[in-house]
Amino acid sequence: MTQRKGEKPTISIQEHMAIDVCPGPIQPIKQISDYFPRYPRGIPPAAPLQAGPAGPPSPALSTSTSNPAAAAESDRPNEDKPDRACAGASASLQATKRDEEPDVEGYDSDDSTTLGTLEFSLQYDQENNALHCTINKAKGLKPMDHNGLSDPYVKLHLLPGASKANKLRTKTLHNTLNPVWSETLTYYGITDEDMVRKTLRISVCDEDKFRHNEFIGETRIPLKKLKPNQIKNFNNCLEKQLPVNKTEDKSLEERGRIMISLKYNTQKSCLVVGIIRCAHLAAMDANGFSDPYVKTYLKPDENKKSKHKTAVKKKTLNPEFNEEFCYDIKYADLTKKTLEVTVWDYDIGKSNDFIGGVSLGINANGERLKHWFDCLKNKDKKIERWHTLTNELPGSLND
């Protein structure tokens, strides 16, 4: 290209871009990941420090140097050396992780801290066959309502077993995420065998007036962790609802328990049978409850006069009767008799439903036989025992 005299030199736009933008070889543009590396499966182990023959750290990683060029190089940001930046970041982050890593056994899931915590205590009263569950308070519950609060209550279930028959619950506290109940719920008729094989499920729920109640979280305590007559305190993180084993042995689903007292009165020459209470009865009505009453027979009953019946307790699975019946009988004849106790659900306009029964006598076994023998050996002394109801109708009884 020729240039006339006195004319200013002109540069094309292509030449201008080549001069200003590309003064040398084209370098790749750095990405943000070069400065802040991300590792999807945890931070890789830090690169080991390079040591010389005598063991001192290499000049590239030393904190001070006498070489000005090296010092100038060390003053440059790590953006020119992404590999060194990655190694340094990984080493510092790994050290921080070792210092701040929580106890993994204390957290079952990421939701354990968002669902809240529950403080409660349990005590197994071995003498009275009772399990006392004191629900103290909860903290930081998950909000379930539109106002950012909840209306929480706590319900208890003994597993395995029918949920309706052994459900207990606290009162509902409204508009709070940190409720304080300080309420004690008691299961009666708990035996040493139950303490070995049963688990207590504690659920926290939100009560809704116009919709179904909502589940917040739960925790489960195997009863074998408890020692007799000792209070054990818990402060557990709530978990998501755990699946229930549907293949559970149906024979473990009991019909309920009954507390019976026996006493032979030598002055009146009679056997005094006390029906004290029942617990965890099977629900027979559509409302999830029963209307239970108890009948007793002393067999064989040739005159058909040994039948006694308690009052009916409405809409309950844990009735208290506290009634006693007397059977005039000689002490020597007790070894030939069998006491049959049955529990029924009262229904209006149709036949009553059989809930469960138990037989005590010389032909019984286990605790039922032991209870009968204890009565024979301890005259004029009331002997109380809990017994498990079975779904077999004793003898040929019908209502």
Side-chain angles (χ1 to χ4, degrees):
M1 179 180 179
T2 60
Q3 179 180 355
R4 297 180 181 179
K5 188 177 180 180
E7 186 178 4
K8 293 182 179 181
T10 59
I11 301 175
S12 64
I13 187 61
Q14 290 83 359
E15 293 174 330
H16 175 75
M17 292 298 295
I19 293 172
D20 293 343
V21 179
C22 301
I26 298 177
Q27 300 291 335
I29 299 175
K30 293 184 179 297
Q31 299 182 0
I32 191 65
S33 60
D34 293 333
Y35 303 98
F36 302 98
R38 297 176 61 187
Y39 299 93
R41 293 187 179 274
I43 298 175
L49 298 177
Q50 297 179 357
S58 62
L61 298 177
S62 62
T63 56
S64 63
T65 178
S66 59
N67 189 348
E73 184 179 3
S74 63
D75 291 336
R76 296 176 186 171
N78 284 333
E79 60 188 16
D80 293 334
K81 298 181 180 181
D83 294 337
R84 183 183 300 173
C86 293
S90 62
S92 60
L93 287 174
Q94 188 176 19
T96 304
K97 184 179 180 182
R98 284 196 302 265
D99 295 338
E100 300 180 358
E101 186 174 10
D103 181 13
V104 294
E105 294 183 356
Y107 298 90
D108 293 326
S109 66
D110 293 337
D111 292 330
S112 61
T113 56
T114 60
L115 297 178
T117 60
L118 181 66
E119 295 184 19
F120 59 96
S121 63
L122 303 176
Q123 181 187 16
Y124 173 47
D125 185 352
Q126 190 176 34
E127 182 179 356
N128 297 313
N129 297 105
L131 177 64
H132 303 292
C133 313
T134 301
I135 308 299
N136 295 322
K137 59 183 178 180
K139 291 183 179 180
L141 294 180
K142 180 181 178 181
M144 304 299 291
D145 299 335
H146 295 297
N147 59 2
L149 299 173
S150 295
D151 302 317
Y153 67 93
V154 177
K155 60 180 181 179
L156 309 180
H157 293 95
L158 278 177
L159 303 176
S163 60
K164 289 288 186 180
N166 56 43
K167 182 178 72 172
L168 301 177
R169 62 163 288 176
T170 67
K171 59 187 177 183
T172 301
L173 300 181
H174 297 281
N175 297 324
T176 178
L177 299 179
N178 301 285
V180 179
W181 289 281
S182 298
E183 193 170 340
T184 299
L185 307 174
T186 301
Y187 282 104
Y188 294 99
I190 302 298
T191 63
D192 292 340
E193 181 184 357
D194 294 329
M195 297 301 295
V196 173
R197 66 182 182 88
K198 284 188 177 288
T199 296
L200 178 65
R201 177 189 180 192
I202 306 178
S203 306
V204 182
C205 300
D206 171 60
E207 184 178 281
D208 284 326
K209 292 183 178 180
F210 305 105
R211 297 182 299 171
H212 291 293
N213 296 340
E214 297 179 287
F215 176 86
I216 298 178
E218 71 170 37
T219 183
R220 298 187 183 186
I221 305 297
L223 297 185
K224 60 184 178 182
K225 290 186 176 182
L226 305 180
K227 296 181 179 179
N229 305 316
Q230 292 186 12
I231 299 177
K232 187 173 179 62
N233 298 311
F234 297 87
N235 186 8
N236 290 10
C237 290
L238 297 176
E239 304 176 78
K240 291 181 178 180
Q241 191 165 12
L242 301 175
V244 178
N245 185 8
K246 295 183 179 180
T247 61
E248 198 174 73
D249 186 3
K250 294 299 182 180
S251 64
L252 297 177
E253 191 169 318
E254 299 161 353
R255 309 288 291 183
R257 308 284 178 86
I258 185 170
M259 184 180 229
I260 302 173
S261 67
L262 298 177
K263 174 184 174 182
Y264 185 77
N265 190 322
T266 56
Q267 294 181 351
K268 297 181 179 181
S269 297
C270 68
L271 175 67
V272 181
V273 178
I275 305 300
I276 301 174
R277 67 190 305 165
C278 294
H280 324 322
L281 294 180
M284 306 302 292
D285 296 337
N287 60 6
F289 293 96
S290 295
D291 302 319
Y293 66 95
V294 180
K295 295 194 300 180
T296 63
Y297 292 85
L298 193 61
K299 294 294 191 79
D301 184 17
E302 298 176 356
N303 298 324
K304 307 293 182 180
K305 295 182 179 180
S306 69
K307 175 181 174 181
H308 290 283
K309 184 188 298 187
T310 68
V312 176
K313 302 296 180 180
K314 293 290 186 179
K315 197 178 179 181
T316 179
L317 301 177
N318 299 279
E320 293 189 25
F321 298 99
N322 294 316
E323 297 187 34
E324 291 185 342
F325 308 115
C326 292
Y327 291 99
D328 294 329
I329 185 174
K330 297 179 180 180
Y331 177 78
D333 293 338
L334 285 178
T335 56
K336 305 174 185 178
K337 296 290 185 178
T338 297
L339 178 67
E340 295 182 347
V341 181
T342 56
V343 184
W344 299 80
D345 170 54
Y346 177 76
D347 287 322
I348 300 177
K350 58 180 181 178
S351 61
N352 299 329
D353 298 320
F354 173 71
I355 297 179
V358 63
S359 297
L360 308 179
I362 196 67
N363 296 321
N365 52 32
E367 286 294 323
R368 295 170 293 172
L369 178 61
K370 186 176 184 299
H371 192 185
W372 190 256
F373 274 138
D374 287 344
C375 173
L376 297 180
K377 291 188 297 183
N378 299 277
K379 300 177 184 179
D380 297 316
K381 181 179 179 180
K382 182 184 292 187
I383 308 295
E384 297 179 353
R385 292 283 191 278
W386 281 97
H387 297 283
T388 301
L389 298 173
T390 65
N391 56 1
E392 295 180 357
L393 196 62
S396 59
L397 296 178
N398 51 52
D399 190 50

